[in-house]
Amino acid sequence: MTAREDGAGREFWRVSLEDLAVAMETRQSEYGNPDEPLKFKIYRGRPRRPLTTRVPRELTRVTALDEPALSTLLRYGYGISRQEFDTDGTWPYHRMVASARCLFGVQLYVCLADGVHHYDAPHHALVRLREGDHRRLLADAAGAAGDLPEAVFVLAGLFSKTAYIYRDYAYRLCTQEAGLLAGNIDLVARAMGLRAHVHHQFVDEPVNRLLGLDQDEEPALVVLPLHFSAAGIRRATAVRTAEALAAALDPIEPAVVPGGLRVAQACPTLTKVNRASLRTDTAGFATAGPDALPESDASGGVPLPLPAADVPEAGLAGVLRARDSGPGVFRPVASRVDGVELWTRLARARTGVTSDAVPAGGPAPLEVYLTVGDLTGIPAGCYRLDRDTGALHPAGPAGGGSDALTAIERVTIPGPVFRHMNAVVHLVGDRDWAFDTFGDRGYRVLSQEAGLLAHRVCVAAAAQGLSGRIVNAYHAEGVRAALGLTQRRHTPVFQILLARTGPGGRVIVPVEPEAVE
């Protein structure tokens, strides 16, 4: 691994993950904010393709991505799961994945043989933006070869949806959420017999031109081809350039209902780091796994081997319908949670994803730390989850005891209630690996990989009736100390609170699918 020149990405990393006070300096109120955008992106005058609302209540394997299968994939991938009725209009809609303030700044585009579409979640429909089969162009832009995908999903960050509150910090949130959504689409597709390949690396201009996107306001963040066989996924050897691929496309400017601020004017730092991440050819694409943690970060305690517990896979469709982030104030209730079952599910979470960030077959490039409060079968304390064996290695200054959870509470911005907390998961990324391998695009790659893994953690928790609250409001240096990390390059990228929670003061109604046999 050789160091690359970078600047904007690494500096934004420092501010957004290491200096929370600076990152939040420009935060705006969500109430009465004149820059508030529409709840959903709305296209005018484009052909619409309604999808069937009759989808199965359980996910099963399919042999073709026909209309019912596509409807099921989109419904469980990014459909609306719940609606609130007493939030003054601020957080009314929830989807199958988590989102900061339920803003859902990530948009989903679907490229099929008949054209390029935007997924209109509230109406469960596809809005056609461009005719024609452009799946091969997207594969070329991502440096992929092999069989033509059944479909290519593109995840784009509509920054204004999140930046109206968070300004420049919206870049962290949108890249996180692109990872969360990619992780969910991967899980749903896998349950249906499809394989997703996560491309963080692609040449940007042709992808954005294909979709009619402004690279400053709504850039593509992830390209996600879907195949029925992993054998159809290969890395191309020929170099592709953005200029050549874009030249084959006529520009489009589909009419969109305006709303929200102009990010290029309101968010100079976000715009700078986003522009620095853009790629013009596939020659510089790289793949590498991060180095193992240094011996100084390895605990001296005796690891707990993963018990041979029979923990069957939970029905994903039901788990996604039940998954939630807890009430507005995260308030755990006393409960008995099988720690060995949760441990077993977490041990599975890092494998099985096909991503261009790591070598083929490699695990997610993050370390998983589990701080146990109240779980049956695991003593209270802080542990690192062994990526190979699933063992729990004692970590942190003392390596165990109830003080471990207290140490996390002390470096979390007040808000969540830690009494009766079952566990806290931290995902730790190697900052230097990300920027040395991918340059300024490293911010996107590591944030999105962490989001993908974070969604799997939340799904594992939801399978046992736990809420999973993603919390960015923590002091990174304090978390490092609590986890026993000795180098600043190893950064806690996600903090996820896991607990059974009581009812909040909100009326939330599930949006259930119309079941079909």
Side-chain angles (χ1 to χ4, degrees):
M1 191 187 319
T2 58
R4 297 187 182 203
E5 288 187 15
D6 51 57
R10 196 182 289 266
E11 172 60 15
F12 188 69
W13 183 275
R14 184 192 67 76
V15 172
S16 62
L17 282 103
E18 304 286 349
D19 198 338
L20 196 63
V22 172
M24 292 288 103
E25 277 181 351
T26 58
R27 190 187 188 284
Q28 308 290 303
S29 171
E30 64 193 285
Y31 300 100
N33 188 327
D35 293 325
E36 182 176 0
L38 299 175
K39 299 300 182 187
F40 301 97
K41 186 175 185 181
I42 300 174
Y43 285 91
R44 294 285 198 201
R46 306 302 303 171
R48 303 180 63 83
R49 173 179 164 185
L51 297 167
T52 178
T53 56
R54 295 179 63 80
V55 298
R57 293 186 62 81
E58 299 297 334
L59 295 169
T60 57
R61 298 176 72 86
V62 299
T63 57
L65 192 60
D66 54 14
E67 201 273 349
L70 179 62
S71 177
T72 299
L73 178 56
L74 291 171
R75 175 71 175 78
Y76 284 106
Y78 205 32
I80 294 173
S81 60
R82 292 182 296 282
Q83 186 172 355
E84 293 189 34
F85 289 94
D86 62 343
T87 58
D88 296 324
T90 53
W91 304 355
Y93 303 104
H94 299 253
R95 299 201 194 187
M96 296 294 181
V97 298
S99 173
R101 293 292 191 270
C102 291
L103 297 171
F104 296 104
V106 175
Q107 302 296 301
L108 177 57
Y109 296 87
V110 181
C111 304
L112 304 168
D114 68 344
V116 177
H117 312 265
H118 174 258
Y119 177 51
D120 178 357
H123 301 103
H124 193 53
L126 294 176
V127 180
R128 180 176 294 179
L129 305 179
R130 187 190 288 268
E131 294 184 348
D133 188 351
H134 300 278
R135 292 173 292 170
R136 178 61 65 191
L137 179 141
L138 287 170
D140 289 344
D147 299 337
L148 195 65
E150 300 296 320
V152 183
F153 287 5
V154 179
L155 284 51
L158 183 54
F159 293 143
S160 62
K161 289 268 289 169
T162 308
Y164 96 93
I165 294 175
Y166 291 100
R167 292 303 196 261
D168 293 307
Y169 189 74
Y171 192 76
R172 180 182 182 187
L173 298 174
C174 286
T175 51
Q176 281 184 341
E177 291 181 23
L180 292 166
L181 178 53
N184 193 46
I185 292 171
D186 174 76
L187 286 177
V188 175
R190 189 178 300 272
M192 296 176 66
L194 288 154
R195 294 295 299 273
H197 191 299
V198 181
H199 288 277
H200 307 284
Q201 302 176 87
F202 51 89
V203 288
D204 299 85
E205 183 184 359
V207 178
N208 292 319
R209 176 177 284 204
L210 177 70
L211 303 176
L213 304 179
D214 183 320
Q215 290 192 152
D216 283 337
E217 303 295 322
E218 188 187 352
L221 297 175
V222 178
V223 173
L224 206 63
L226 300 174
H227 295 261
F228 273 111
S229 169
I233 303 170
R234 300 199 312 273
R235 186 170 180 177
T237 55
V239 174
R240 304 288 186 174
T241 67
E243 182 180 15
L245 292 173
L249 293 168
D250 293 327
I252 59 171
E253 296 183 4
V256 178
V257 177
L261 50 75
R262 293 292 294 176
V263 171
Q265 285 75 47
C267 306
T269 302
L270 183 159
T271 301
K272 181 179 179 181
V273 70
N274 176 55
R275 289 176 179 175
S277 75
L278 302 179
R279 292 290 171 260
T280 57
D281 62 57
T282 62
F285 290 5
T287 296
D291 296 332
L293 287 173
E295 288 298 322
S296 60
D297 287 347
S299 69
V302 178
L304 304 179
L306 178 64
D310 182 17
V311 180
E313 295 289 349
L316 181 62
V319 170
L320 291 177
R321 292 196 300 269
R323 184 212 61 80
D324 67 62
S325 301
V329 175
F330 194 83
R331 192 182 303 277
V333 297
S335 61
R336 290 183 60 82
V337 174
D338 187 332
V340 173
E341 183 175 343
L342 178 63
W343 179 3
T344 303
R345 295 184 190 281
L346 293 178
R348 299 170 180 165
R350 297 185 68 226
T351 60
V353 178
T354 305
S355 164
D356 69 354
V358 296
L366 294 109
E367 298 288 345
V368 178
Y369 283 78
L370 178 67
T371 302
V372 175
D374 187 8
L375 292 174
T376 63
I378 310 177
C382 178
Y383 304 90
R384 177 178 59 83
L385 185 67
D386 191 291
R387 66 172 65 183
D388 298 316
T389 68
L392 288 176
H393 296 260
S402 59
D403 287 347
L405 192 63
T406 301
I408 299 300
E409 182 178 13
R410 286 173 178 162
V411 294
T412 301
I413 305 302
V417 176
F418 273 67
R419 186 167 182 262
H420 302 310
M421 189 77 70
N422 296 112
V424 179
V425 170
H426 286 93
L427 306 181
V428 175
D430 186 336
R431 173 200 64 195
D432 289 352
W433 163 78
F435 290 107
D436 290 349
T437 306
F438 307 107
D440 280 311
R441 203 166 180 112
Y443 191 103
R444 269 198 208 180
V445 174
L446 191 47
S447 186
Q448 290 169 180
E449 281 286 326
L452 193 156
L453 182 55
H455 180 70
R456 287 185 161 213
V457 170
C458 292
V459 168
Q464 290 180 247
L466 298 171
S467 298
R469 170 65 63 83
I470 295 168
V471 174
N472 283 345
Y474 55 85
H475 297 290
E477 195 57 47
V479 172
R480 269 196 208 92
L483 302 182
L485 297 167
T486 61
Q487 299 186 24
R488 291 183 67 83
R489 67 184 291 174
H490 298 121
T491 307
V493 185
F494 266 81
Q495 177 170 295
I496 309 168
L497 312 181
L498 304 181
R500 294 211 172 107
T501 56
R506 303 179 292 174
V507 176
I508 304 177
V509 178
V511 179
E512 295 286 355
E514 298 178 41
V516 60
E517 295 299 328

